[in-house]
Amino acid sequence: MHTSWLTAEQYASLSSTVTGAFIAPLPAFDSLLISGADNRKYLQGQTTCDLDSLTDDNFLHGAHCDAKGKMWSQFYLASIGEQLVTVAFRDELNASATQWKKFGVFSKVSFEAGQQHYAVFGIGGGDANSLVSKLGFSLPQPGGLSRHQGALLMALAQHHFLLLMPLNDAKTLMTTSLPFAAPNVWLAQHIQHGFSYLEQELIGALVPQMLNLQALNAISFTKGCYIGQETVARLKYRGGNKRAAYILQADTTELPAAGTDIELQLGDNWRRSGQVVNAANINNTLWLIAVLPNDITPADPLRLSSESATALRFVPLPYSIN
């Protein structure tokens, strides 16, 4: 845990057994501030999302790819005055920041780590909307953004929010009696909504369509050129992508790491068919989002490639990937 706003004692006190609405500190997520006269123009040529569609009332979900269309990161992007801010899992944000800084020397753009300015929280649960109101925000619809006293609330889906809060306010918030939850509670909900993020093991390994980003409005096919655009566009217009992300569930105490193999039964044999992207275990219920062949069906037997060979079952995606 690398954070200056959440103490070890506070982190240890967080529970995975909350019911109803909750707010979860997300110390593994971070932000990056992008300043300079060319910040929008620069990111427009670097990412899959269309910066021209960014307003004060929305945020963008996007990805940053290498020249071959493999992702360094996927992220959420918003404006703070003339600045831009990206929020993502720390592994992938660091990977993108390294690349952006390398090529940004040719543009009027600068980058600053956000960890000394902002903290990241997740809000969720069936009555999350009431908690949003209690925190002073107007309720944004999915894709929308609400602002309150310097904090940004992004509605990723119904009852599923990402909150970027000024650091001192976050420290104060952690001393209140709000219904705090462990990060894995929000991460399990993130998986259940069909969202994902890139941990170190999979950075540079997947194209955006493998994580269903075309179905999550995280790819603009009309904005023009950006790094990796040729590959991403070819997969849409000419086909060729044979993999997609799926939600899986199991009854187990296991928590497989990103990149763990998933095996498919073919006759009497088991063969590697996919891999874990993200996992969360809540009270011995394992939730996974995994990359698998896009012709897989719920009838196909799957298991973790582990000593226990845990059987996995499909959970329907909340959106269509066709």
Side-chain angles (χ1 to χ4, degrees):
M1 183 179 69
H2 305 284
T3 174
S4 60
W5 58 272
L6 182 67
T7 68
E9 291 77 13
Q10 288 171 335
Y11 188 81
S13 69
L14 298 172
S15 172
S16 296
T17 59
V18 296
T19 58
F22 64 83
I23 180 168
L26 301 178
F29 283 71
D30 213 338
S31 58
L32 181 71
L33 301 172
I34 304 127
S35 305
D38 292 340
N39 58 357
R40 290 195 179 219
K41 178 181 178 182
Y42 181 70
L43 286 191
Q44 183 77 326
Q46 292 280 323
T47 67
T48 63
C49 52
D50 186 358
L51 273 290
D52 290 341
S53 66
L54 181 65
T55 71
D56 288 341
D57 299 319
N58 72 347
F59 66 93
L60 302 180
H61 185 184
H64 173 215
C65 302
D66 64 18
K68 296 181 179 179
K70 301 293 182 67
M71 287 185 291
W72 294 107
S73 69
Q74 60 168 308
F75 54 81
Y76 302 96
L77 184 149
S79 64
I80 303 176
E82 296 300 316
Q83 281 187 319
L84 299 173
V85 59
T86 56
V87 182
F89 190 71
R90 184 174 286 109
D91 291 353
E92 57 185 337
L93 190 61
N94 288 343
S96 276
T98 298
Q99 299 300 314
W100 285 335
K101 290 175 183 177
K102 182 187 304 183
F103 298 103
V105 296
F106 303 106
S107 300
K108 295 177 181 178
V109 63
S110 62
F111 303 88
E112 181 185 1
Q115 59 184 316
Q116 299 304 316
H117 302 280
Y118 293 99
V120 184
F121 293 86
I123 298 174
D127 198 24
N129 293 354
S130 64
L131 182 54
V132 164
S133 298
K134 186 175 181 179
L135 289 169
F137 292 94
S138 59
L139 183 65
Q141 293 301 307
L145 179 147
S146 179
R147 301 172 190 266
H148 178 64
Q149 296 182 346
L152 282 66
L153 181 76
M154 293 174 261
L156 307 188
Q158 293 288 348
H159 310 295
H160 188 59
F161 303 89
L162 197 61
L163 172 64
L164 187 70
M165 177 171 281
L167 206 61
N168 288 334
D169 293 339
K171 293 177 181 178
T172 300
L173 188 73
M174 289 303 303
T175 66
T176 67
S177 59
L178 289 172
F180 289 103
N184 63 331
V185 177
W186 186 86
L187 296 175
Q189 186 181 89
H190 203 57
I191 291 169
Q192 291 162 32
H193 282 289
F195 293 120
S196 59
Y197 53 88
L198 291 177
E199 300 182 52
Q200 189 64 50
E201 293 80 1
L202 295 179
I203 291 173
L206 306 173
V207 297
Q209 286 95 328
M210 291 181 182
L211 292 182
N212 307 344
L213 294 197
Q214 79 286 357
L216 295 170
N217 298 317
I219 305 172
S220 170
F221 292 102
T222 60
K223 62 174 277 187
C225 295
Y226 56 87
I227 295 176
Q229 183 259 351
E230 183 178 350
T231 297
V232 175
R234 184 171 63 247
L235 292 178
K236 172 179 173 61
Y237 296 112
R238 298 184 183 178
N241 178 46
K242 303 300 182 183
R243 307 185 78 73
Y246 294 89
I247 304 169
L248 304 172
Q249 189 186 57
D251 300 319
T252 178
T253 60
E254 285 190 86
L255 183 62
T260 298
D261 287 344
I262 293 175
E263 297 176 335
L264 169 68
Q265 187 174 21
L266 296 172
D268 295 330
N269 300 312
W270 291 86
R271 295 184 181 177
R272 180 184 181 279
S273 182
Q275 56 192 156
V276 173
V277 178
N278 305 127
N281 197 312
I282 305 294
N283 303 321
N284 299 330
T285 298
L286 174 64
W287 292 92
L288 298 177
I289 191 155
V291 171
L292 295 164
N294 57 14
D295 59 356
I296 201 102
T297 74
D300 292 321
L302 296 174
R303 72 180 187 185
L304 281 176
S305 180
S306 63
E307 289 186 7
S308 63
T310 298
L312 302 168
R313 55 184 177 268
F314 282 87
V315 176
L317 286 164
Y319 51 77
S320 173
I321 58 176
N322 296 325

